[in-house]
């Protein structure tokens, strides 16, 4: 029996067109499709009451038909002609990118960022910053290295008086530098009201008290930046060179040759200047990750 809508030749006795799903009886002149009986679902007995809502032309579902019948567009039950639960319309099986749900992400990596389980290191190899840090990765003690304010930096400065093996953050180092600078200004101010001998004694005493912790924190700052502490030899050489050139220049100037004295002072500072620049760059570098001098400082977001 030929369908008048799609011209498809159906089998004798078919009530619906196998190609387009239109009613064969309606093709033969029946106008009220609400009276057409609807077959019961597969495996069930009895039929639902015939209504216009569950007729083949008004069925529910996306390209899948209702009650096991073809939809009006000639597609079998299921999405894109496939039984429910089978591959999606793009030919992939259930799950994202062809994997069972909960498995690989769309780029072929397993669950987690960059193929790592959630809560593990991020793609740059550092611990994640959400939640708690991995045990033992950061310095969790009250010792150096630590992100600190001015007062705590001074405490750590004297607490690590002769510590040449650990690490110190930039905040520890530069607050300590500010402290020694302010102490030096205080000595100069007090020397105004003191005799020459007393002011010299005070100046030498302060220098002797601060020289060792200054060198130790410079070494620890180099370690924290991932540099060898032996770079401090450059600081010592630069200091001695500037001191020697200053003394030699003053002696020469007092001897009557002011130009030669000024030249000696300028030459000493000119040689020491590049060494100081290199060291300042190293001291300004951020803290490195876990290295042979110990763990990095605990980030402030993890501190309690």
């Amino acid at each position: 029996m030929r369908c008048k809508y799609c011209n498809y030749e159906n089998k004798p006795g078919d009530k619906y067109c196998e190609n387009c799903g239109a009613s064969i009886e309606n093709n033969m002149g029946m106008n009220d499709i609400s009276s057409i009986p609807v077959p019961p679902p597969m495996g069930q007995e009895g039929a639902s009451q015939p209504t216009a809502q569950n007729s083949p032309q008004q069925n529910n579902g996306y390209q899948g038909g209702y009650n096991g019948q073809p939809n009006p567009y000639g597609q079998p039950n299921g999405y894109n002609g496939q039984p429910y639960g089978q591959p999606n319309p793009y030919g992939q099986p259930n799950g994202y990118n062809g994997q069972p749900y909960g498995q690989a992400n769309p780029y072929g990596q397993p669950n987690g960022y960059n193929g790592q389980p959630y809560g593990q290191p991020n793609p740059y190899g550092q611990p994640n910053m959400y939640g708690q840090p991995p045990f033992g990765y950061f310095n969790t003690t009250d010792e150096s290295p630590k992100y600190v304010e001015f007062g705590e930096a001074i405490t750590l400065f004297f607490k690590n008086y002769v510590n040449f093996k650990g690490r110190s953050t930039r905040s520890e180092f530069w607050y300590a530098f500010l402290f020694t600078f302010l102490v030096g200004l205080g000595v100069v101010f007090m020397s105004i009201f003191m005799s020459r001998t007393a002011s010299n004694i005070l100046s030498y005493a302060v220098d002797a008290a601060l020289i060792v912790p200054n060198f130790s924190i410079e070494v620890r700052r180099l370690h924290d930046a991932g540099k060898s502490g032996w770079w401090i030899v450059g600081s010592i050489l630069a200091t001695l060179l500037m001191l020697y050139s200053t003394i030699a220049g003053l002696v020469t100037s007092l001897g009557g040759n002011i130009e030669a004295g000024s030249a000696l002072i300028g030459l000493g500072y000119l040689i020491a200047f590049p060494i100081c620049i290199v060291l300042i760059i190293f001291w300004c570098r951020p803290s490195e990750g876990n290295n042979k001098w110990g763990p990095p400082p605990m980030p402030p977001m993890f501190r309690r």
Side-chain angles (χ1 to χ4, degrees):
M1 185 176 295
R2 188 178 300 275
C3 176
K4 73 175 184 179
Y5 294 104
C6 66
N7 206 31
Y8 181 78
E9 186 66 34
N10 295 280
K11 299 176 184 178
D14 286 347
K15 294 182 179 181
Y16 305 101
C17 178
E18 295 181 359
N19 183 45
C20 68
S23 173
I24 301 298
E25 295 182 8
N26 198 34
N27 284 337
M28 298 172 64
M30 296 179 67
N31 295 322
D32 185 10
I33 64 173
S34 64
S35 62
I36 300 174
V38 179
M42 295 292 292
Q44 298 183 15
E45 295 182 359
S48 60
Q49 292 297 326
T51 61
Q53 283 75 13
N54 59 11
S55 66
Q57 292 178 331
Q58 302 290 335
N59 58 50
N60 296 324
Y62 187 80
Q63 292 189 2
Y66 189 79
N67 282 339
Q69 297 301 321
N71 61 46
Y73 304 102
Q75 298 296 332
N77 285 334
Y79 196 88
N80 199 36
Q82 299 295 333
Y84 294 111
Q86 297 304 313
N88 62 40
Y90 301 102
Q92 299 296 331
N94 282 335
Y96 205 88
N97 199 36
Q99 300 296 329
Y101 292 111
Q103 300 303 313
N105 62 38
Y107 302 100
Q109 299 297 328
N111 279 336
Y113 201 86
N114 199 37
Q116 300 294 333
Y118 293 111
Q120 297 304 312
N122 62 36
Y124 301 100
Q126 301 297 326
N128 65 71
M129 306 309 287
Y130 305 98
Q132 296 300 320
F135 177 77
Y137 185 86
F138 293 121
N139 172 40
T140 56
T141 69
D142 289 332
E143 306 296 328
S144 299
K146 190 177 181 183
Y147 297 111
V148 294
E149 299 297 335
F150 183 78
E152 196 171 7
I154 305 310
T155 301
L156 292 174
F157 175 69
F158 287 106
K159 197 172 184 179
N160 294 283
Y161 200 91
V162 290
N163 180 9
F164 291 88
K165 295 182 179 180
R167 300 173 55 160
S168 289
T169 61
R170 286 182 292 186
S171 58
E172 292 181 49
F173 177 81
W174 291 111
Y175 277 134
F177 179 85
L178 177 62
F179 170 74
T180 55
F181 176 75
L182 293 177
V183 169
L185 287 181
V187 170
V188 172
F189 179 76
M190 292 177 63
S191 64
I192 299 175
F193 307 98
M194 301 170 64
S195 64
R196 180 182 296 273
T197 302
S199 63
N200 288 338
I201 293 174
L202 177 63
S203 178
Y204 293 148
V206 170
D207 290 342
L210 297 180
I211 188 170
V212 174
N214 272 326
F215 283 138
S216 67
I217 197 171
E218 288 176 4
V219 170
R220 295 196 307 273
R221 178 79 270 272
L222 289 169
H223 291 170
D224 190 54
K227 303 298 180 182
S228 172
W230 286 107
W231 279 97
I232 197 63
V233 175
S235 176
I236 297 174
L237 290 176
T239 302
L240 293 176
L241 184 60
M242 289 186 291
L243 181 62
Y244 175 78
S245 64
T246 301
I247 294 174
L250 289 176
V251 171
T252 305
S253 297
L254 292 175
N257 196 343
I258 299 177
E259 293 182 357
S262 300
L264 283 174
I265 295 174
L267 180 62
Y269 279 80
L270 184 64
I271 297 174
F273 184 73
I275 302 175
C276 296
I277 293 298
V278 171
L279 288 171
I280 290 173
I281 292 174
F282 288 164
W283 290 331
C284 289
R285 290 175 62 87
S287 298
E288 198 182 53
N290 212 327
N291 59 28
K292 61 183 179 180
W293 293 287
M298 173 77 76
M301 66 180 67
F302 293 142
R303 295 178 62 185
R304 297 179 180 178

